[in-house]
Amino acid sequence: MSIHSNNLYSNVLRQSVQVQVILPEPVNAAGQILPEYTSGDHRLPTVWLLHGLGGDATSWLRRTEIELLATQYRVAVVMPETGRGFYTNMVHGPRYWDYLTHELPTRMRYIFPLSARPEDNYLLGNSMGGYGALRYAFTYPHRFAAVAALSPVTNLKRFHVEQSAIMPDLELAFSPAQMQGTPADLSYLVQQPTNWGTLRVLMATGDQDMLRSMDEAFKPQLADVFKDRFEWQLQHGHHDWRLWNHQLPFAMHWLIKGGWRNV
């Protein structure tokens, strides 16, 4: 297991950015290099892990056991940083959407041995990062095998009204007109006549989560579009790291192994 702290200049954002990357060790339990790694051209399955509001590139490393899970499933994990930008091209701010969906994967695959095959790529995020993960997957469904969103923001207009205390600056990211009926709106995206391929979708939240009712309102749309490739999970908890730490092992197993089970 190795952790790489990257400081690189983004040509899209026109600033230096931080990206944390976990790479699993290419060895077995006896410390022997696995045969598939000896050729030097092995490409790793990758989880693109997005932080929530107020987080940064180190949030998942500091607050969860993502290192152990990356080793367990032998996947790379890429953790970018987008401030409070909601993974969008901000109305008043940087072009985080272009960075996330185009520059970041290109740069990371240049630096690290990451697979570009859709069946080897997964999206995961919490809260704001859950929104970013879902929007990314719904916009480019053929880039990914699966997406898992923990306590995601699923309705921008409702979030703007109900959670203005924690995000009074949402209009820096989105104009009011963008929040509904545009490609920034998750409900709008899933209503489009799209070939979803084999994309699988997981949404999970807590029974006392402040976004529970929002996510439950979005759930029927996902079930209608993705049918048996959609899974919903409700656990006991609030909108916090205690809940997400409980959900993370299950979500990682669901992403990579294709099912939700006791871990």
Side-chain angles (χ1 to χ4, degrees):
M1 162 72 62
S2 58
I3 298 176
H4 303 260
S5 297
N6 299 269
N7 187 313
L8 55 92
Y9 183 82
S10 165
N11 294 303
V12 170
L13 302 177
R14 298 185 180 182
Q15 66 183 51
S16 293
V17 292
Q18 293 286 335
V19 186
Q20 298 289 326
V21 178
I22 300 171
L23 297 181
E25 290 294 334
V27 297
N28 60 22
Q32 301 167 324
I33 295 179
L34 295 167
E36 60 264 34
Y37 289 91
T38 57
S39 65
D41 58 3
H42 180 71
R43 294 281 160 175
L44 291 165
T46 307
V47 175
W48 303 85
L49 183 55
L50 309 185
H51 68 79
L53 186 66
D56 60 23
T58 69
S59 294
W60 287 97
L61 279 171
R62 289 185 293 107
R63 294 179 174 270
T64 75
E65 294 186 341
I66 189 62
E67 291 179 66
L68 297 177
L69 293 164
T71 298
Q72 178 181 342
Y73 293 107
R74 293 198 176 280
V75 294
V77 180
V78 177
M79 295 161 283
E81 182 171 312
T82 65
R84 297 170 66 85
F86 251 84
Y87 301 95
T88 195
N89 289 340
M90 299 179 70
V91 176
H92 303 288
R95 293 159 47 210
Y96 286 121
W97 177 251
D98 292 343
Y99 166 67
L100 173 70
T101 60
H102 295 289
E103 185 179 27
L104 180 69
T106 301
R107 298 285 291 274
M108 290 296 99
R109 288 169 182 152
Y110 172 76
I111 299 170
F112 300 104
L114 309 181
S115 173
R117 300 192 312 166
E119 59 267 34
D120 288 338
N121 280 269
Y122 312 92
L123 281 163
L124 174 60
N126 66 317
S127 196
M128 180 185 79
Y131 164 83
L134 291 173
R135 180 181 175 186
Y136 195 174
F138 295 162
T139 305
Y140 299 107
H142 296 284
R143 292 190 188 183
F144 304 99
V147 55
L150 311 181
S151 307
V153 175
T154 52
N155 186 317
L156 292 173
K157 186 174 181 179
R158 183 172 169 180
F159 181 77
H160 187 37
V161 173
E162 296 178 356
Q163 305 300 332
S164 60
I166 66 170
M167 183 98 188
D169 49 341
L170 188 64
E171 287 190 24
L172 294 179
F174 306 98
S175 69
Q178 286 180 307
M179 294 183 192
Q180 193 170 35
T182 76
D185 175 12
L186 298 181
S187 181
Y188 171 87
L189 285 175
V190 298
Q191 291 176 42
Q192 301 311 298
T194 302
N195 178 3
W196 298 105
T198 58
L199 180 70
R200 295 180 291 111
V201 180
L202 167 69
M203 186 163 62
T205 191
D207 59 0
Q208 299 177 68
D209 197 303
M210 67 183 187
L211 301 184
R212 174 183 173 178
S213 61
M214 177 189 298
D215 292 344
E216 288 184 328
F218 188 46
K219 180 176 68 169
Q221 281 187 270
L222 296 182
D224 182 60
V225 171
F226 294 98
K227 304 202 169 31
D228 62 352
R229 289 181 287 113
F230 169 66
E231 184 156 356
W232 161 264
Q233 288 290 328
L234 182 69
Q235 284 84 36
H236 177 67
H238 297 266
H239 194 85
D240 57 27
W241 283 104
R242 181 175 295 180
L243 172 65
W244 301 323
N245 264 295
H246 175 71
Q247 293 171 329
L248 182 60
F250 299 92
M252 287 286 284
H253 183 87
W254 182 92
L255 283 169
I256 298 158
K257 298 298 183 180
W260 188 277
R261 66 165 177 82
N262 291 326
V263 176

